[in-house]
Amino acid sequence: VRLLGAGPYESAAGKRQRHGESPRCCLLAAAGNEMAPAGSSGDLHRVACRAMEPEPEDRYRTVKEFQRAIEEVGAHRESLSMVSSAESHLARAETGDEYADYSQAVFAFREAARLWPKNDRAAAGELASRRSFAASAFAKHDYGLALENLSGLDDADSVALAAKVRRAKTIALLRQKRIRLLTFAAIGLAAAVIVILAAARMT
C-alpha cells in the first residue's frame, strides 16, 4: 500500500515524493519519511499521504481499500466536472428560457450528486435549477410542469412558488370550466332558437 501511494502523490504534487541533491540525501529523506512539499491539498493528495503513513495501522489496510479510495477521488472529480457543465446549462437556460437547457441542467446536477452524494454544489445546483425551471414554466402557464419540478422541495421559496402555481392552476381550471358551461349554454340556446324558428316556419 505504501509503495502504491507514491504514484498518486507525485500526480497530485507534481513532483517526486522524495527530494535531495544526491542519492544519499534521497535515502536519508526516505529513512526519515521526509516528503517533498506538495503543490496540492486535494482529495488525491490526502489519499496518497494516508497510503504512505509510516505506521502500518495508519495506512489503508488493504490494496483494495486503497483502490476504492482512489476510485472515489475519480468520482469526485467527475462529479465536480459535471457540476460545472450543469452550471453552464443553467446559465444558458436562464438567458434563453428554453426547457431543454433547464432539463439538461437538472439532469447533470442530479447525476453529479449521484456520483458524489456529499457534493454540496450539486445539491444546491439541482435545487436552484428545478426552482428556476418551475418559475419559467409558471410564467408560460405550464402549471403541471412547474409543480413537477417543485415536487419534494421544502425550502421556503419553493413552497411559496408551489402555492402560487396551485392557485393559478385552480383559477385556470375554474375559468376553463366556466367557458365550457357558457359554450354548452350557447349551443343549447342556439339549438332552441333553431327549433323555435323551424316551428314558426311550419306554422
Side-chain angles (χ1 to χ4, degrees):
V1 170
R2 193 175 187 188
L3 289 172
L4 288 173
Y9 182 90
E10 291 177 13
S11 175
K15 60 184 75 174
R16 293 182 179 275
Q17 60 177 353
R18 306 300 178 193
H19 56 92
E21 296 178 358
S22 66
R24 182 174 180 279
C25 290
C26 289
L27 288 171
L28 288 173
N33 200 44
E34 298 173 12
M35 291 185 287
S40 169
S41 59
D43 290 339
L44 185 62
H45 176 258
R46 174 182 52 78
V47 169
C49 285
R50 180 179 171 187
M52 294 189 298
E53 285 287 344
E55 300 300 326
E57 61 269 19
D58 294 331
R59 302 174 206 148
Y60 294 101
R61 289 171 294 179
T62 64
V63 171
K64 283 189 176 180
E65 186 180 348
F66 172 67
Q67 184 179 10
R68 281 196 298 271
I70 293 292
E71 288 171 352
E72 188 176 327
V73 169
H76 290 190
R77 286 183 171 178
E78 188 176 350
S79 178
L80 291 171
S81 175
M82 197 164 283
V83 164
S84 297
S85 174
E87 287 170 345
S88 297
H89 283 301
L90 181 56
R92 189 159 56 247
E94 291 176 336
T95 301
D97 200 28
E98 294 291 337
Y99 282 175
D101 289 322
Y102 280 117
S103 294
Q104 287 176 323
V106 172
F107 175 78
F109 279 125
R110 194 168 287 161
E111 280 297 295
R114 184 186 63 78
L115 286 170
W116 182 18
K118 293 182 180 180
N119 188 340
D120 294 334
R121 279 175 63 197
E126 183 184 349
L127 171 63
S129 58
R130 286 176 62 187
R131 192 166 55 217
S132 188
F133 194 174
S136 174
F138 177 46
K140 296 173 183 175
H141 309 294
D142 199 345
Y143 304 126
L145 182 59
L147 290 173
E148 181 183 333
N149 278 284
L150 293 169
S151 177
L153 302 184
D154 57 3
D155 63 288
D157 290 338
S158 297
V159 170
L161 180 56
K164 286 174 65 176
V165 174
R166 289 191 191 95
R167 281 196 299 272
K169 185 178 180 180
T170 300
I171 292 170
L173 290 173
L174 289 172
R175 186 179 295 117
Q176 289 173 6
K177 186 176 180 181
R178 191 177 302 116
I179 290 171
R180 282 198 299 270
L181 289 172
L182 289 173
T183 301
F184 290 145
I187 292 171
L189 181 60
V193 169
I194 291 170
V195 169
I196 292 170
L197 291 174
R201 287 179 182 176
M202 290 177 65
T203 58

